[in-house]
Amino acid sequence: MAILRIDASIQGPNSASSALADLVEKELAGAPIVRRHLATDPIPADAWANAIQGTYTPAEHRTDAQRGALALAGELAGELRSADAAILALPFYNYGVSQHVKAWFDLAMAGGEQGEKFLDGKPAVVLTTRGGAYGPGTPRDGWDHNTDYLRRVVGDIWGAELILIEREFTLVGVNPALDAFAETAELMHKTAAEAASAAGRVLASR
């Protein structure tokens, strides 16, 4: 089984989403993994526009930037097509999908056919983390514009068998204003970690 792993946290070794992805990967017994880290090796901000423009430009008239963007788009699409499963560690930033993750989604889709189901019928574990709490009854209920987008693209557009794992309150212990939620945060951490390990076993069984 070939696994595609995408990380996107800007937190380096302190990343909560990457830590959950590590738990998934731990269950895979050395399966080959193609890795891409969108924070440490970001997609160029102008790549999507250049790829789209290049698509509608005759090959002999394309700029170097357009040719490079189309090549990268094809590479990203190819990584998705070739994967038997995916581990996508995509944290929530500023109430939505971070710009470097959105750049990856956009460019990968530019490299495929319109609406192509890159992961059709394949398991994809999406791990998303949030510093605060955004569920029903919280002051920020309705402010999460990240998770539904991930569901729509990975599950509905790309056709994956989606396993979505969420962890909130990752800033408890970092932001003193959240100290009162330490017990809740610890339970959320434990639940997410157990779900990540279970997801890894699902991937390993395929």
Side-chain angles (χ1 to χ4, degrees), residues 11-12 16 20 76 84 87 100 106 117 124 134 156 168-169 200:
Q11 298 297 326
L20 290 175
L76 300 182
D84 297 308
I87 303 169
H100 53 297
D106 287 344
K117 292 186 177 296
Y134 296 81
D156 296 344
E168 293 197 314
F169 272 148

Side-chain angles (χ1 to χ4, degrees), residues 103-125:
W104 174 71
F105 276 120
D106 287 344
L107 195 59
M109 288 191 275
E113 300 298 323
Q114 179 69 31
E116 182 174 354
K117 292 186 177 296
F118 290 124
L119 297 170
D120 198 17
K122 302 173 183 178
V125 183

Side-chain angles (χ1 to χ4, degrees), residues 35-128:
R35 302 176 190 277
R36 188 175 288 273
H37 202 302
L38 303 175
T40 59
D41 187 19
I43 304 299
D46 61 351
W48 177 72
N50 279 317
I52 297 302
Q53 291 163 4
T55 298
Y56 295 101
T57 301
E60 65 273 18
H61 296 308
R62 289 172 184 161
T63 66
D64 288 344
Q66 289 170 346
R67 284 191 288 271
L70 285 167
L72 181 55
E75 181 181 343
L76 300 182
E79 289 175 353
L80 285 158
R81 288 191 197 104
S82 300
D84 297 308
I87 303 169
L88 308 177
L90 309 176
F92 163 106
Y93 289 127
N94 293 324
Y95 312 112
V97 182
S98 69
Q99 58 86 19
H100 53 297
V101 170
K102 187 64 164 55
W104 174 71
F105 276 120
D106 287 344
L107 195 59
M109 288 191 275
E113 300 298 323
Q114 179 69 31
E116 182 174 354
K117 292 186 177 296
F118 290 124
L119 297 170
D120 198 17
K122 302 173 183 178
V125 183
V126 173
L127 308 123
T128 192

